[in-house]
């Protein structure tokens, strides 16, 4: 799901307005069957792929194959909270794209990962331009207790036992090692990135980020098995994702912020 403004930022950044994007969207909606759908809320239009549109995108080879794709229609027509969460994720994708850290097609949204404590469902997983990956969590209204619980689920995924029996050439691997560690297990566990976005009747993103740091550093795995870093959506949008906008949880240097490339590696 995205707005015309977001699509222009991704696809036609040098256009002065969204007229060209809107014409293209209307043309796609007039296809038979329609490739996109539209919902209006509060004088804003929200666009999403239809099942036919997703099939067309998959056939083009632009998107990595996956199962269980959702069309975005549920989010576009949903209550404000879920819709604003989806838009904040789209703005995060734009920030990474503009910083040339990751192409907008190199994201997976809400892909489930097995853990001993149940499935982990990241808001997004991004394949970065350097070949590494990162988990991305968007927070607008979630309680601190739920944020910490999700962080602990990442630790459960990181510490899950190896599956299978392996062989003489290769020992058994856990799910994250099979997915992210590379053929020689030389890549560390991906960093977990929290982006705090504005929300009505909630503390400012900077305040929520600070409180999260106070609570998250008590999770024993942070800084050892997990690299966790945070930023706010306004800071990300203003400075882009590749600059020094990330604050490392458990970092004893106070408010110091780093680039994504300078984040410490999980052990």
């Amino acid at each position: 799901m995205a707005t015309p403004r977001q699509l222009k930022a991704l696809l036609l950044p040098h256009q002065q307005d969204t007229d060209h994007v809107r014409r293209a969207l209307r043309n796609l909606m007039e296809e038979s069957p329609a490739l996109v759908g539209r919902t209006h809320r509060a004088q804003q239009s929200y666009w999403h792929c239809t099942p036919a549109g997703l099939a067309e995108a998959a056939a083009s080879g632009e998107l990595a194959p996956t199962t269980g794709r959702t069309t975005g229609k549920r989010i576009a027509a949903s209550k404000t909270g879920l819709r604003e969460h989806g838009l904040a994720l789209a703005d995060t994708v734009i920030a990474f794209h503009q910083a040339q850290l990751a192409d907008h097609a190199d994201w997976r949204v809400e892909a489930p990962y097995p853990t001993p404590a149940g499935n982990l469902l990241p808001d997004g997983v991004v394949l970065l331009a350097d070949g590494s990956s990162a988990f991305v969590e968007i927070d607008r209204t979630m309680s601190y207790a739920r944020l910490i619980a999700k962080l602990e689920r990442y630790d459960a995924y990181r510490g899950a036992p190896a599956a299978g029996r392996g062989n003489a050439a290769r020992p058994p691997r856990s799910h994250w090692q099979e997915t992210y560690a590379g053929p020689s297990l030389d890549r560390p566990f991906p960093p977990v990135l929290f982006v705090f976005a504005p929300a009505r009747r909630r503390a400012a993103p900077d305040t929520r980020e600070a409180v999260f740091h106070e609570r998250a550093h008590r999770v024993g795995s942070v800084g050892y098995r997990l690299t966790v870093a945070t930023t706010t959506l306004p800071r990300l949008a203003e400075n882009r994702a590749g600059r020094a906008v990330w604050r490392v949880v458990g970092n004893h240097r106070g408010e110091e912020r780093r680039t994504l490339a300078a984040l410490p590696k999980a052990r």
Side-chain angles (χ1 to χ4, degrees):
M1 183 199 68
T3 65
R5 175 192 63 81
Q6 291 173 325
L7 291 170
K8 184 191 84 69
L10 278 175
L11 305 174
L12 296 169
H14 301 299
Q15 289 281 331
Q16 292 186 348
D17 53 43
T18 61
D19 290 350
H20 188 84
V21 169
R22 291 177 187 274
R23 283 196 298 271
L25 289 168
R26 287 194 293 269
N27 289 339
L28 292 172
M29 190 165 60
E30 291 170 1
E31 292 284 336
S32 183
L35 301 180
V36 298
R38 176 178 59 186
T39 298
H40 286 283
R41 296 276 176 169
Q43 298 183 332
Q44 175 63 276
S45 61
Y46 305 93
W47 294 79
H48 58 85
C49 277
T50 62
L54 288 177
E56 186 81 8
S60 74
E62 291 290 331
L63 299 178
T66 186
T67 58
R69 283 196 186 277
T70 59
T71 65
K73 181 178 181 180
R74 176 180 64 89
I75 296 175
S78 70
K79 294 181 180 179
T80 301
L82 186 59
R83 186 171 67 250
E84 294 301 322
H85 184 277
L87 295 177
L89 178 58
D91 281 334
T92 301
V93 172
I94 291 170
F96 275 73
H97 182 75
Q98 290 176 334
Q100 298 183 335
L101 287 173
D103 189 77
H104 61 275
D106 289 331
W107 286 74
R108 286 178 293 155
V109 178
E110 294 189 345
Y113 292 81
T115 85
N119 274 350
L120 167 67
L121 201 65
D123 288 332
V125 184
V126 57
L127 175 64
L128 299 170
D130 64 2
S132 65
S133 299
F135 298 109
V136 179
E137 295 291 342
I138 308 297
D139 173 64
R140 294 183 64 255
T141 60
M142 190 175 288
S143 70
Y144 297 116
R146 289 179 62 194
L147 288 174
I148 297 304
K150 193 155 196 181
L151 192 54
E152 290 172 340
R153 188 154 291 191
Y154 275 104
D155 187 36
Y157 178 56
R158 166 69 178 80
R165 303 176 64 177
N167 54 49
R170 194 184 73 173
R173 300 181 178 185
S174 64
H175 186 276
W176 86 262
Q177 290 173 325
E178 286 285 358
T179 309
Y180 297 111
S184 57
L185 299 182
D186 56 338
R187 295 176 185 166
F189 190 79
V192 184
L193 308 176
F194 283 84
V195 179
F196 292 86
R200 289 184 179 182
R201 296 185 294 277
R202 288 292 191 277
D206 285 329
T207 301
R208 295 207 311 278
E209 182 186 27
V211 175
F212 176 75
H213 273 256
E214 292 175 5
R215 302 193 181 197
H217 85 274
R218 303 170 192 166
V219 180
S221 59
V222 171
Y224 178 64
R225 291 193 299 270
L226 296 179
T227 295
V228 182
T230 66
T231 191
T232 66
L233 188 57
R235 191 186 302 273
L236 198 65
E238 179 181 356
N239 297 304
R240 301 189 177 180
R243 298 185 181 176
V245 298
W246 301 99
R247 182 181 171 195
V248 181
V249 174
N251 181 10
H252 300 296
R253 299 180 183 177
E255 300 293 326
E256 178 191 21
R257 293 186 183 269
R258 305 185 184 192
T259 64
L260 202 58
L263 295 182
K265 308 298 183 184
R267 303 175 201 174

